[in-house]
Amino acid sequence: MLSRIQQTDLSVPYQLRGYLYFTKTEEGKQYPLHFRQGKDQNNAEERLLDLNALAEGYSFLGLGVFQVSDDNRLLAYSTDTTGFRSTPSRLRTCNQRTLCPFVPSA
């Protein structure tokens, strides 16, 4: 079956607020990598999320929310490692790839 599946692939990019967003799958990896690139093709690709790294230590990983803020600086995402869709959302900066402190709403 694996011989019929293209393991290295690139999704069709979609445009949002001055960036092209797309995913890549790489041979030997189970989950996609999420990228963005400025509309100008000379801009470097910016990796926003590596689901393979997040899946380490878990037998399952599902991506729920994937939303970039209106000013393009923050990425909100949620992951599910149990199958019950009950994990909290995370917020990180797009450029520095650092997690922001999570403050639940009251």
Side-chain angles (χ1 to χ4, degrees):
M1 178 103 155
L2 270 179
S3 63
R4 295 185 209 148
I5 298 173
Q6 186 174 352
Q7 292 188 32
T8 301
D9 200 8
L10 177 68
S11 70
V12 174
Y14 65 92
Q15 194 175 114
L16 182 65
R17 292 187 294 274
Y19 287 91
L20 297 172
Y21 290 86
F22 56 95
T23 60
K24 287 183 181 182
T25 54
E26 296 178 349
E27 186 171 350
K29 294 188 178 182
Q30 187 172 357
Y31 299 102
L33 305 165
H34 291 261
F35 289 88
R36 76 176 179 182
Q37 183 177 20
K39 283 185 187 177
D40 182 6
Q41 294 298 324
N42 296 329
N43 292 336
E45 293 177 351
E46 182 181 354
R47 184 172 58 197
L48 297 176
L49 202 55
D50 181 355
L51 294 179
N52 294 290
L54 295 175
E56 288 181 11
Y58 299 102
S59 59
F60 168 80
L61 180 79
L63 179 64
V65 174
F66 182 88
Q67 183 71 41
V68 177
S69 64
D70 290 340
D71 63 2
N72 294 320
R73 294 182 332 113
L74 300 173
L75 169 66
Y77 68 95
S78 66
T79 56
D80 176 17
T81 56
T82 64
F84 294 108
R85 300 180 187 168
S86 61
T87 55
S89 296
R90 304 261 189 248
L91 189 66
R92 70 187 290 171
T93 59
C94 289
N95 295 336
Q96 287 82 22
R97 297 188 188 99
T98 56
L99 284 175
C100 298
F102 181 72
V103 179
S105 60

